Amino acid sequence: MRQFTYLIIACSFVLSMLISWGIYNRIASPLGQLKNAMKGLIGGDYDIRLHTRRKDEFGYLMDSYNRMAEHQKHLIQDHYEQQLRIARTELTFLQSQINPHFLYNTLNSIYWTAQNYEAEEISEMVLNLSHFFRLSLHKGQDTFTVEETITHLSYYLRVQQIRFLHCFQVVYEIHEETKTIPVLKLLLQPLVENAVIHGLEQMKSNGLLVISSFLQQGKLMITVQDNGSGISGQRLQSIYQVIQEIDGKTAPFSFLESPGKELYGLRNVCSRMKMFYGSDAHIRFESQLGVGTTVTLELPLSSTTDE
């Protein structure tokens, strides 16, 4: 009986140790791993992963933790990258404001110097250029009215007319009902610049640039038309590809990420137009070699009036 009692005690001890080890291995150990992983996650370590082949509830919890940690890591990375982009954009904007302030103050000094030397054409160019940069800041606002946009463009075009010895004239056909409608700042300037440099620069005389605005089917239509050299079919195809590329982007800073250096002004216009007005805004090109080019902006009135 004594030996049998000792045997029962020994067996009970071994069995209790086995049961304890099993409980620890099946319950306490995975709970401890989950606890340590959660502490690390709270502390900012999103690279901790739990490795298990278990198919029970603890296996499900560990797999769920791994997916949650991976998801949180991506969310934080995306948020950080977006904030970094916004910070860089704001910094660029603030830096870009310094240069025009310095520039138009310097231009005013040059203007008065030119006046003293009776260089009328130089002083007029400098004065118009100074007005152009001063209005470009526009107290930090994002939009001009159509009327203010035309005034802004007129300063730039006057400089170009003097530069090209008045080889082209400018006609404004602005309908009265469109004058007070807000338009994104500097949206037309790259288009007008392209019309002058690439369309009218080669003409010695009789150049014509027509800028018009009117309402049509709930949209503000703005056209920039020249009778210059026109655009070849191959070049038009490249322009259409850039427009389709921008239309296919979904990220808010897709223009900044664009690797293309060609057609920079067009990429700028299309990207800002899409970001500001949405997918209902469109840009159309019509051109013929030796005849001229017409660029049309279609801006939804719902977006312009909301602004």
Side-chain angles (χ1 to χ4, degrees):
M1 288 296 295
R2 184 182 302 169
Q3 292 176 349
F4 184 71
T5 301
Y6 290 153
L7 180 61
I8 291 176
I9 292 173
C11 291
S12 298
F13 177 77
V14 171
L15 183 62
S16 63
M17 292 297 295
L18 290 174
I19 293 174
S20 299
W21 180 83
I23 292 174
Y24 172 80
N25 187 57
R26 302 293 296 179
I27 299 177
S29 178
L31 281 177
Q33 293 180 38
L34 278 171
K35 181 189 72 173
N36 293 331
M38 291 300 294
K39 283 184 177 179
L41 188 67
I42 293 173
D45 187 354
Y46 297 94
D47 294 321
I48 299 177
R49 298 294 182 270
L50 300 176
H51 304 285
T52 182
R53 296 181 179 178
R54 296 175 58 156
K55 303 297 182 182
D56 57 3
E57 288 79 1
F58 281 107
Y60 175 78
L61 285 175
M62 290 180 175
D63 289 338
S64 298
Y65 165 82
N66 290 336
R67 290 194 297 270
M68 179 188 69
E70 188 69 24
H71 183 62
Q72 288 292 325
K73 181 179 180 179
H74 286 308
L75 283 178
I76 290 176
Q77 287 178 341
D78 292 343
H79 177 73
Y80 172 77
E81 290 175 0
Q82 184 178 19
Q83 292 302 313
L84 182 61
R85 290 174 181 174
I86 292 174
R88 287 176 177 173
T89 304
E90 290 176 348
L91 178 60
T92 302
F93 172 73
L94 292 175
Q95 289 174 339
S96 69
Q97 284 187 316
I98 296 175
N99 293 332
H101 274 293
F102 169 77
L103 185 56
Y104 69 62
N105 287 332
T106 305
L107 289 172
N108 280 334
S109 299
I110 298 174
Y111 165 74
W112 288 112
T113 303
Q115 283 280 34
N116 292 335
Y117 284 93
E118 298 182 355
E120 295 298 331
E121 287 192 341
I122 295 176
S123 64
E124 185 180 354
M125 288 181 69
V126 171
L127 182 62
N128 281 280
L129 197 56
S130 175
H131 289 329
F132 176 83
F133 281 105
R134 184 179 294 274
L135 194 57
S136 294
L137 294 178
H138 200 58
K139 300 179 181 179
Q141 297 179 16
D142 293 327
T143 60
F144 288 156
T145 64
V146 170
E147 187 172 22
E148 289 171 332
T149 299
I150 297 304
T151 300
H152 187 233
L153 287 174
S154 68
Y155 295 136
Y156 167 78
L157 287 170
R158 184 58 186 155
V159 172
Q160 295 293 2
Q161 283 179 307
I162 298 174
R163 175 192 171 191
F164 294 117
L165 303 177
H166 302 275
C167 68
F168 69 92
Q169 62 174 325
V170 184
V171 175
Y172 301 101
E173 299 178 350
I174 309 301
H175 286 208
E176 190 67 30
E177 66 269 22
T178 67
K179 289 184 177 180
T180 59
I181 298 176
V183 176
L184 184 62
K185 185 168 65 175
L186 296 176
L187 190 64
L188 290 181
Q189 196 274 337
L191 303 178
V192 172
E193 183 177 355
N194 285 338
V196 172
I197 295 177
H198 300 296
L200 300 173
E201 184 176 9
Q202 304 301 324
M203 301 187 68
K204 301 301 181 181
S205 61
N206 300 323
L208 179 63
L209 178 65
V210 181
I211 301 174
S212 60
S213 68
F214 55 94
L215 300 180
Q216 179 177 299
Q217 298 179 350
K219 288 186 176 182
L220 171 64
M221 313 292 287
I222 303 178
T223 65
V224 178
Q225 182 180 6
D226 67 78
N227 65 342
S229 55
I231 305 174
S232 66
Q234 183 178 1
R235 187 68 170 176
L236 271 177
Q237 189 62 36
S238 299
I239 291 174
Y240 295 148
Q241 288 178 355
V242 168
I243 295 174
Q244 291 176 357
E245 174 191 334
I246 300 299
D247 285 341
K249 299 279 188 179
T250 56
F253 294 96
S254 57
F255 167 67
L256 301 177
E257 297 171 348
S258 176
K261 300 300 182 183
E262 190 181 21
L263 298 170
Y264 184 88
L266 177 62
R267 291 178 185 273
N268 183 297
V269 170
C270 292
S271 296
R272 291 193 298 123
M273 185 177 67
K274 179 181 177 183
M275 292 170 63
F276 193 83
Y277 294 103
S279 58
D280 290 335
H282 301 286
I283 181 171
R284 292 190 288 107
F285 279 79
E286 299 174 12
S287 185
Q288 186 176 347
L289 281 176
V291 177
T293 303
T294 301
V295 183
T296 304
L297 295 181
E298 301 179 4
L299 309 178
L301 280 178
S302 56
S303 299
T304 58
T305 51
D306 287 344
E307 180 63 25

